């Protein structure tokens, strides 16, 4: 079993829709949870990170962490065609520095 | 610099040759990571440096792979006697790693290695 599981998609939504992206994980030692956006042929770009449980909002993006369920989510409100990319979740523990990534979910927002 | 810089962007090499991939992290970032990313997959951990110390190399596939960061800034990932299975995108990331920003790792554009 992989440390981090993520549905690869692709996920196709109309412009303006609310998008929900999710990851599950198995290691209860994970404390930092990140979301990266990766456009085609580009490097991953950090969108948001959250420490421990709870919610974090930044503009149209909201990250949620539920450590009891080992489940994290990224919500995108009022999705735009420019949001079309692959979204990667990543996580690490407090006492170790290795980041574990999901395989990425490809999102397509149709105009 | 403004971001993590990797060179070369593309490298084509013949099987059996050695290659050296370079990473120039964001100025002041103490943590440096090397990852490998296959098409359609997330980055896979290779190795980690804290300043010049290589603190975790558990992800290096075999002893043909090595990395160094002698002065705590620029890092080089070296692959000896390359094989076709080494073909991938190699990504470097750096992090300030303190002040509550431990999770903020920034990636470079990567080096696309093709072994023919």
């Amino acid at each position: 079993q992989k440390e981090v599981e993520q549905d690869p998609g692709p996920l196709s939504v109309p412009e303006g829709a609310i998008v929900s992206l999710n990851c599950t994980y198995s290691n209860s030692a994970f404390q930092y949870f990140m979301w990266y956006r990766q456009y085609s042929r580009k490097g991953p770009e950090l969108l948001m990170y959250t420490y421990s449980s709870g919610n974090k909002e930044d503009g149209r993006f909201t990250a949620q962490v539920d450590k009891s369920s080992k489940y994290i989510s990224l919500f995108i409100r009022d999705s735009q065609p420019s949001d079309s990319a692959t979204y990667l979740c990543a996580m690490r523990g407090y006492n170790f520095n290795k980041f574990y990534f999901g395989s990425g979910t490809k999102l397509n927002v149709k105009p | 610099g403004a971001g993590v810089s990797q060179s070369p962007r593309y490298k084509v090499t013949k099987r059996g040759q050695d290659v050296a991939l370079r990473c120039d992290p964001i100025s002041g970032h103490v943590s440096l990571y090397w990852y490998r990313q296959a098409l359609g997959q997330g980055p896979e951990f290779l190795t980690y440096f804290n300043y010049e110390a290589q603190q975790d190399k558990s992800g290096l596939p075999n002893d043909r792979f090595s990395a160094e960061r002698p002065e705590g800034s620029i890092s080089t990932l070296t692959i000896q006697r390359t094989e076709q299975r080494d073909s991938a995108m190699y990504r470097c990331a750096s992090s300030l790693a303190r002040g509550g920003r431990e999770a903020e790792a920034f990636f470079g554009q990567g080096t696309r290695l093709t072994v023919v």
Side-chain angles (χ1 to χ4, degrees):
Chain A
Q1 184 188 6
K2 294 175 77 172
E3 297 266 7
V4 181
E5 298 280 358
Q6 185 174 10
D7 188 332
L11 181 62
S12 188
V13 301
E15 183 175 355
I18 296 174
V19 176
S20 172
L21 304 166
N22 312 292
C23 288
T24 59
Y25 63 95
S26 56
N27 191 338
S28 58
F30 289 148
Q31 295 284 346
Y32 297 96
F33 303 91
M34 287 73 70
W35 286 96
Y36 285 83
R37 176 175 62 195
Q38 187 170 22
Y39 291 113
S40 183
R41 297 189 182 90
K42 298 291 186 182
E45 170 196 8
L46 181 65
L47 274 178
M48 300 180 70
Y49 84 93
T50 309
Y51 174 69
S52 194
S53 282
N55 295 356
K56 188 172 184 178
E57 189 173 321
D58 184 1
R60 296 185 295 112
F61 298 89
T62 300
Q64 286 186 354
V65 174
D66 181 349
K67 291 188 69 180
S68 62
S69 301
K70 297 190 178 69
Y71 187 88
I72 70 171
S73 300
L74 177 72
F75 297 97
I76 307 173
R77 290 184 300 280
D78 187 26
S79 56
Q80 304 295 309
S82 59
D83 295 328
S84 297
T86 296
Y87 288 80
L88 296 154
C89 64
M91 44 199 81
R92 57 160 281 197
Y94 184 78
N95 289 322
F96 55 90
N97 288 284
K98 186 187 299 187
F99 289 74
Y100 292 86
F101 281 83
S103 56
T105 299
K106 189 168 185 178
L107 171 67
N108 181 34
V109 181
K110 298 173 292 185
Chain B
V4 178
S5 178
Q6 291 187 247
S7 60
R9 290 289 307 278
Y10 303 92
K11 178 69 177 178
V12 180
T13 190
K14 289 185 177 180
R15 186 163 50 100
Q17 296 293 306
D18 298 350
V19 294
L21 312 181
R22 174 187 164 119
C23 173
D24 194 349
I26 294 172
S27 179
H29 279 198
V30 303
S31 293
L32 186 145
Y33 306 82
W34 282 99
Y35 279 81
R36 182 166 66 176
Q37 188 172 18
L39 200 62
Q41 296 295 315
E44 177 189 22
F45 175 81
L46 294 176
T47 187
Y48 159 74
F49 289 85
N50 184 39
Y51 293 99
E52 72 279 2
Q54 188 175 21
Q55 295 197 333
D56 188 340
K57 56 181 181 178
S58 62
L60 295 177
N62 50 61
D63 60 8
R64 295 185 298 106
F65 287 73
S66 63
E68 62 175 10
R69 193 187 185 196
E71 297 178 357
S73 179
I74 292 169
S75 177
T76 303
L77 176 70
T78 301
I79 309 173
Q80 296 179 310
R81 306 181 303 281
T82 52
E83 302 177 5
Q84 285 187 320
R85 61 179 171 155
D86 300 332
S87 297
M89 177 69 82
Y90 288 83
R91 298 201 185 275
C92 175
S94 70
S95 172
L96 192 60
R98 62 177 182 268
R101 306 180 72 174
E102 290 81 358
E104 292 184 317
F106 297 89
F107 281 82
Q109 296 278 49
T111 294
R112 168 69 69 188
L113 174 66
T114 303
V115 182
V116 298

